[in-house]
Amino acid sequence: MVSSEDEIEPEIQTSAAQNLDRRRFSRDIRNLSPDEIDGLITGSDGRPFHVVHHLPEMKEEGIPYLMPGVPITCRVDNTEKYTTRSKVRVGTLYTVWLTHGQFHWTVKRKYKHFQELHRDLYKHRMMVHLLPIGRYAKERQQLRGMSEEMPSLHGTERTRRTSSKMKYLEEYLNGLLENRFCKNDHSMLEFLSVSALSFVTDLGPKGLEGPIFKRSGGHRIQGLNCIGHHQFCFRWSRRWLVVKDSFLMYMNRDNDNINFVLLFDPEFKVKVGRAYTDTKYGVCIENFTRSLVIKCSSYRQAQWWSHEINRLGETSDFIKVQRFEGFAPPREKTLTKWYVNGRGYFMDLADALEQAKEEIFITDWWLSPEVFLKRPATDDYWRLDQILKRKAEQGVKVCVLLYKEVELALGINSEHSKRTLMNMHPNIKVMRHPDHVSSVVFLWAHHEKMVAIDQTVAFVGGIDLAFGRWDDSQYRLTDLGLKETNTSITEEETKEDADTQTDANQENGVADGPQQTELNSEDLTGNTKLWLGKDYSNFIRKDWVQLDKPFEDNIDRTQVPRMPWRDLSAAIHGKAARDVARHFIQRWNFTKIFKNKYKDDFYPYLLPKSHSTADTLSFTVPGSKRAKVQVLRSADRWSTGTCENSILNAYIHTIENSEHFVYIENQFFISCADGKTVHNGIGDAIVNRILRAHREQKKYRVFVVIPLLPGFEGDISAGGGNAIQAILHFTYRTICRGELSILSRLSELEDQWTEYITVCGLRTHAQLSQSLVTELIYVHSKTLIADDRCYIIGSANINDRSMLGSRDSELAVFVEDEDRIPSIMGGEEYQAGPLTLALRKECFSVLVGATSDSSINIDDPVSDDFFFSVWNAAAKLNATIYDKVFRCLPCNDVHNMRELKERTCEERLCDKNPEQTTEELRAVRGLLVHFPLRFLCEENLLPPLGTKEGMAPVGLWT
């Protein structure tokens, strides 16, 4: 066994970024402590899930597969007749029913198998007696408890009768199973079809197990198979096959290393015979990613295995196509909780990570190891990398999947994130995907954001664990250090009114002495800043650079306001959390197979827990409520090995079936299919639903909130650059420009379209270093709320990239309230869902300023009073004030580049008359401003063909 000194380099103690060219850990630490060994053995109800991650160590330590102190009993009956190869002699097949604790299973054995077992046990016993080898010492001690004479299998007059023979075999086998030496012998374990995974409680029922020969190849992933198809191109290997209630896997019996995992999915099939396998007694097991061929010892065994695998698969939810053509069904009475903004999400996530006992799964588009989850930080205890290191040292397996970006196009530096985490502890494993050249995937990304803990609690949404994402409902533009004595941020602070919010922005924006641009990350004593180093960002002004120097400021915080970040996420528990974890496991195992560098044992295969134990929750997120939850995704063969676009289907279904309103908050709004450049039909569903409401003369509202500018670096006063203009082009094409746009297709309504749909952005203001400043709030949300009864929160933008499934990979949850509470809708009594109603009110109260003005009523979202006099009135008023004071961009008054240039030369009220500016800004109500539908309407915003943006495929922008 390799000592820890042989496999770990000493940790470099320095505050500077480490040299990450070399991986610090090359293998796992496999020397288990006595306490860890005891933890793997104990448990009368089954083995702990930790066993899954310590199979080779258990083999080396000689830990028995059967649970110590738990009796194993058998019953032999149900004889079957079979014809031998000679077609003359008829043999007998016995069914052996076995019980070990809560686990029950059957095996089928011939009489010769009992004879072989007896012979092997006798031979092993003689070797232990006769060979004075040290490794037999423990077994010699066990033999002292065994009678000198082993039970005999030689028949008597009594055993010649079949019924008596079954009884005798049963007594014989039970006698062997009462002896520790016999029941833990390798021959006995094979006879009983038992392995180290047989009695792991969280893997569900014992299932089917046994030795098989498996054929190499069969992968449905381009480039993973031998070019030839002749039988000489195949390689047969002896493996131990394990079939559970939602997957099967095979392992090397010599060292108990897992060699492959096949998850049940809608393509799951079992076929028997030479026609499907090109081999005698062959069984072919298929799913989306592989056609696995195994070889059995007889025709009867092949039929038995096929029958049992199908029987286990039939009980799985995952072999059926679920609602919205998704992979997971709706899970009723699921504990769930929503989050608006990153503050509450990061806080609950930090506490949940502390509760991890077995596994932590993380996948992000971008991950910053140095991001703080609780703020303001006065030490590094709640820094993400330190949390993960702490849990890894406690034995938790941390698996992280990162999007491997095209470095010339994106500066998120996933290589830095990977090396930083993996150099902390060997229990932290990080994989990046895709390899752009080998997979021929250049345009698409892994865009989902997810954390799963012990496959019991999961977090899904739009918030990456990255710089710039932490925010609260105050949406501060400045961070020169909090002046308050008590610097902790509590739940109550997020409920402060708008006046307090402005005051806090102003106090936090006044410099108090010289400001540091480089932070001592090792000593944060007395720190009052909320965003440290690169975390203070305004990426439209300047994108992130030098992420390997995370504690150096990216912009001058004394001169440049930060750009607030609005986003949503959700926590889920139980079976829905297992669905999220299963998606991660599918992606992880797929990546391990696909990339050669991850095929070694350092990167393990992951196993999904059984849904039969999902209701046992070791902890819950505070404030969670019960609802029906379905996990949705966008997935393709390049990203996950399967095909799905259930998020798009759920969006369209929800819009089409909504009765009163839909509220959409999204980073992008690119839709209205033309079959050429845009293909998703979300905009079309909105048009059709509005037209139906108009024809039926019923009230129906559509609220759309999107960012005022796309999230690309660029100077909007000079046009914003090609990337910003390209996204604006397709956004305007969706809303109001061209014959396919929503407003053009609502032409039969004439000016009445304003009664049905409103499109807004968000903006706020503050004082920074004695100057008044404004900035848009970047809407990064991916949320839909309908009728105060259901909502979707996830990572999917409203564009083709996120929705089609064949492009970016995404994850979302569809939550439907199962309970009802009294509310009001359209002036009438209404039964709303408590979770959805609370989410909608949380969103609306901040956006329209109801937190600072109790007279603003947000109870009825579709009433004329709210829609016109509150929502649209606030958006119009605020846009007018900001235009007057700051001459903001984008705006409706600028139709072309000439007018844009002229506007940038105009003197601003905030510069020439600060007192009047302050007075004007007092009238601002909430955060809403109307989206400027006429901005640059006379310009062609598509990138010029001669530019790199113009040469990129149109799908990059849509």
Side-chain angles (χ1 to χ4, degrees), residues 79 179 249 258 451 500 574 584 616 663 700 753 822:
T79 58
N179 184 275
M249 50 143 289
I258 297 175
V451 180
T500 308
F584 178 92
T616 304
Y663 171 73
Y700 183 79
W753 67 265

PDB file of all heavy atoms in Angstrom, residues 79 179 249 258 451 500 574 584 616 663 700 753 822:
ATOM      1  N   THR A  79     -38.370 -26.871  -7.563  1.00  0.00           N
ATOM      2  CA  THR A  79     -37.493 -27.575  -8.500  1.00  0.00           C
ATOM      3  C   THR A  79     -37.992 -27.410  -9.927  1.00  0.00           C
ATOM      4  O   THR A  79     -39.187 -27.328 -10.184  1.00  0.00           O
ATOM      5  CB  THR A  79     -37.432 -29.070  -8.162  1.00  0.00           C
ATOM      6  OG1 THR A  79     -38.760 -29.595  -8.201  1.00  0.00           O
ATOM      7  CG2 THR A  79     -36.825 -29.295  -6.798  1.00  0.00           C
ATOM      8  N   ASN A 179     -21.521 -20.931   9.926  1.00  0.00           N
ATOM      9  CA  ASN A 179     -20.100 -20.920  10.234  1.00  0.00           C
ATOM     10  C   ASN A 179     -19.412 -19.756   9.530  1.00  0.00           C
ATOM     11  O   ASN A 179     -19.557 -19.591   8.317  1.00  0.00           O
ATOM     12  CB  ASN A 179     -19.473 -22.248   9.797  1.00  0.00           C
ATOM     13  CG  ASN A 179     -18.005 -22.321  10.182  1.00  0.00           C
ATOM     14  OD1 ASN A 179     -17.158 -21.836   9.457  1.00  0.00           O
ATOM     15  ND2 ASN A 179     -17.732 -22.944  11.320  1.00  0.00           N
ATOM     16  N   MET A 249     -24.060  -2.456 -13.595  1.00  0.00           N
ATOM     17  CA  MET A 249     -22.631  -2.160 -13.678  1.00  0.00           C
ATOM     18  C   MET A 249     -21.858  -3.475 -13.628  1.00  0.00           C
ATOM     19  O   MET A 249     -22.391  -4.505 -13.230  1.00  0.00           O
ATOM     20  CB  MET A 249     -22.201  -1.273 -12.515  1.00  0.00           C
ATOM     21  CG  MET A 249     -22.646  -1.785 -11.169  1.00  0.00           C
ATOM     22  SD  MET A 249     -21.455  -1.522  -9.847  1.00  0.00           S
ATOM     23  CE  MET A 249     -20.190  -2.674 -10.265  1.00  0.00           C
ATOM     24  N   ILE A 258     -14.823  -0.714 -10.081  1.00  0.00           N
ATOM     25  CA  ILE A 258     -15.959  -0.608 -11.000  1.00  0.00           C
ATOM     26  C   ILE A 258     -15.429  -0.245 -12.381  1.00  0.00           C
ATOM     27  O   ILE A 258     -14.688   0.730 -12.540  1.00  0.00           O
ATOM     28  CB  ILE A 258     -16.959   0.442 -10.501  1.00  0.00           C
ATOM     29  CG1 ILE A 258     -17.548   0.022  -9.153  1.00  0.00           C
ATOM     30  CG2 ILE A 258     -18.080   0.649 -11.518  1.00  0.00           C
ATOM     31  CD1 ILE A 258     -18.455   1.062  -8.523  1.00  0.00           C
ATOM     32  N   VAL A 451     -25.814  21.912  -7.581  1.00  0.00           N
ATOM     33  CA  VAL A 451     -25.075  21.297  -6.486  1.00  0.00           C
ATOM     34  C   VAL A 451     -25.976  20.224  -5.891  1.00  0.00           C
ATOM     35  O   VAL A 451     -27.152  20.473  -5.614  1.00  0.00           O
ATOM     36  CB  VAL A 451     -24.693  22.319  -5.395  1.00  0.00           C
ATOM     37  CG1 VAL A 451     -23.925  21.635  -4.276  1.00  0.00           C
ATOM     38  CG2 VAL A 451     -23.868  23.457  -5.980  1.00  0.00           C
ATOM     39  N   THR A 500     -34.075  53.278   2.511  1.00  0.00           N
ATOM     40  CA  THR A 500     -32.943  52.716   3.231  1.00  0.00           C
ATOM     41  C   THR A 500     -31.930  52.153   2.254  1.00  0.00           C
ATOM     42  O   THR A 500     -30.731  52.241   2.462  1.00  0.00           O
ATOM     43  CB  THR A 500     -33.428  51.607   4.187  1.00  0.00           C
ATOM     44  OG1 THR A 500     -34.480  52.127   4.995  1.00  0.00           O
ATOM     45  CG2 THR A 500     -32.309  51.111   5.064  1.00  0.00           C
ATOM     46  N   GLY A 574     -35.161  14.914  -1.477  1.00  0.00           N
ATOM     47  CA  GLY A 574     -35.755  13.613  -1.724  1.00  0.00           C
ATOM     48  C   GLY A 574     -35.583  13.091  -3.138  1.00  0.00           C
ATOM     49  O   GLY A 574     -34.503  13.165  -3.724  1.00  0.00           O
ATOM     50  N   PHE A 584     -26.347  14.417 -12.949  1.00  0.00           N
ATOM     51  CA  PHE A 584     -24.916  14.684 -12.780  1.00  0.00           C
ATOM     52  C   PHE A 584     -24.113  13.406 -13.001  1.00  0.00           C
ATOM     53  O   PHE A 584     -23.081  13.416 -13.684  1.00  0.00           O
ATOM     54  CB  PHE A 584     -24.639  15.247 -11.388  1.00  0.00           C
ATOM     55  CG  PHE A 584     -23.180  15.514 -11.127  1.00  0.00           C
ATOM     56  CD1 PHE A 584     -22.634  16.759 -11.397  1.00  0.00           C
ATOM     57  CD2 PHE A 584     -22.345  14.520 -10.636  1.00  0.00           C
ATOM     58  CE1 PHE A 584     -21.283  17.007 -11.181  1.00  0.00           C
ATOM     59  CE2 PHE A 584     -20.995  14.748 -10.419  1.00  0.00           C
ATOM     60  CZ  PHE A 584     -20.460  16.001 -10.684  1.00  0.00           C
ATOM     61  N   THR A 616     -35.858   9.277   3.198  1.00  0.00           N
ATOM     62  CA  THR A 616     -35.091   9.408   4.441  1.00  0.00           C
ATOM     63  C   THR A 616     -34.105  10.562   4.282  1.00  0.00           C
ATOM     64  O   THR A 616     -33.098  10.437   3.591  1.00  0.00           O
ATOM     65  CB  THR A 616     -34.339   8.102   4.758  1.00  0.00           C
ATOM     66  OG1 THR A 616     -35.273   7.026   4.821  1.00  0.00           O
ATOM     67  CG2 THR A 616     -33.605   8.219   6.086  1.00  0.00           C
ATOM     68  N   TYR A 663     -45.327  35.470 -15.945  1.00  0.00           N
ATOM     69  CA  TYR A 663     -44.250  36.415 -15.633  1.00  0.00           C
ATOM     70  C   TYR A 663     -42.946  35.758 -16.039  1.00  0.00           C
ATOM     71  O   TYR A 663     -42.607  34.667 -15.566  1.00  0.00           O
ATOM     72  CB  TYR A 663     -44.248  36.735 -14.139  1.00  0.00           C
ATOM     73  CG  TYR A 663     -43.036  37.529 -13.687  1.00  0.00           C
ATOM     74  CD1 TYR A 663     -42.911  38.880 -14.006  1.00  0.00           C
ATOM     75  CD2 TYR A 663     -42.008  36.929 -12.956  1.00  0.00           C
ATOM     76  CE1 TYR A 663     -41.807  39.610 -13.594  1.00  0.00           C
ATOM     77  CE2 TYR A 663     -40.903  37.654 -12.541  1.00  0.00           C
ATOM     78  CZ  TYR A 663     -40.803  38.990 -12.868  1.00  0.00           C
ATOM     79  OH  TYR A 663     -39.702  39.717 -12.468  1.00  0.00           O
ATOM     80  N   TYR A 700     -55.694  39.040 -19.764  1.00  0.00           N
ATOM     81  CA  TYR A 700     -54.522  38.171 -19.745  1.00  0.00           C
ATOM     82  C   TYR A 700     -53.289  39.058 -19.835  1.00  0.00           C
ATOM     83  O   TYR A 700     -53.241  39.973 -20.656  1.00  0.00           O
ATOM     84  CB  TYR A 700     -54.547  37.172 -20.905  1.00  0.00           C
ATOM     85  CG  TYR A 700     -53.391  36.202 -20.885  1.00  0.00           C
ATOM     86  CD1 TYR A 700     -53.408  35.106 -20.033  1.00  0.00           C
ATOM     87  CD2 TYR A 700     -52.280  36.392 -21.700  1.00  0.00           C
ATOM     88  CE1 TYR A 700     -52.340  34.217 -19.999  1.00  0.00           C
ATOM     89  CE2 TYR A 700     -51.217  35.511 -21.677  1.00  0.00           C
ATOM     90  CZ  TYR A 700     -51.248  34.424 -20.819  1.00  0.00           C
ATOM     91  OH  TYR A 700     -50.191  33.556 -20.785  1.00  0.00           O
ATOM     92  N   TRP A 753     -52.248  46.098 -27.819  1.00  0.00           N
ATOM     93  CA  TRP A 753     -51.258  45.140 -27.331  1.00  0.00           C
ATOM     94  C   TRP A 753     -50.720  45.538 -25.963  1.00  0.00           C
ATOM     95  O   TRP A 753     -50.293  44.680 -25.176  1.00  0.00           O
ATOM     96  CB  TRP A 753     -50.119  44.979 -28.338  1.00  0.00           C
ATOM     97  CG  TRP A 753     -49.243  46.196 -28.527  1.00  0.00           C
ATOM     98  CD1 TRP A 753     -49.372  47.146 -29.481  1.00  0.00           C
ATOM     99  CD2 TRP A 753     -48.101  46.564 -27.734  1.00  0.00           C
ATOM    100  NE1 TRP A 753     -48.398  48.104 -29.355  1.00  0.00           N
ATOM    101  CE2 TRP A 753     -47.597  47.763 -28.277  1.00  0.00           C
ATOM    102  CE3 TRP A 753     -47.455  46.006 -26.635  1.00  0.00           C
ATOM    103  CZ2 TRP A 753     -46.478  48.408 -27.751  1.00  0.00           C
ATOM    104  CZ3 TRP A 753     -46.342  46.636 -26.096  1.00  0.00           C
ATOM    105  CH2 TRP A 753     -45.861  47.835 -26.661  1.00  0.00           C
ATOM    106  N   PRO A 822     -56.214  31.377  -0.080  1.00  0.00           N
ATOM    107  CA  PRO A 822     -57.056  32.423  -0.684  1.00  0.00           C
ATOM    108  C   PRO A 822     -56.219  33.570  -1.239  1.00  0.00           C
ATOM    109  O   PRO A 822     -55.254  34.010  -0.617  1.00  0.00           O
ATOM    110  CB  PRO A 822     -57.937  32.883   0.480  1.00  0.00           C
ATOM    111  CG  PRO A 822     -57.833  31.815   1.503  1.00  0.00           C
ATOM    112  CD  PRO A 822     -56.486  31.196   1.347  1.00  0.00           C
TER     113      PRO A 822
END
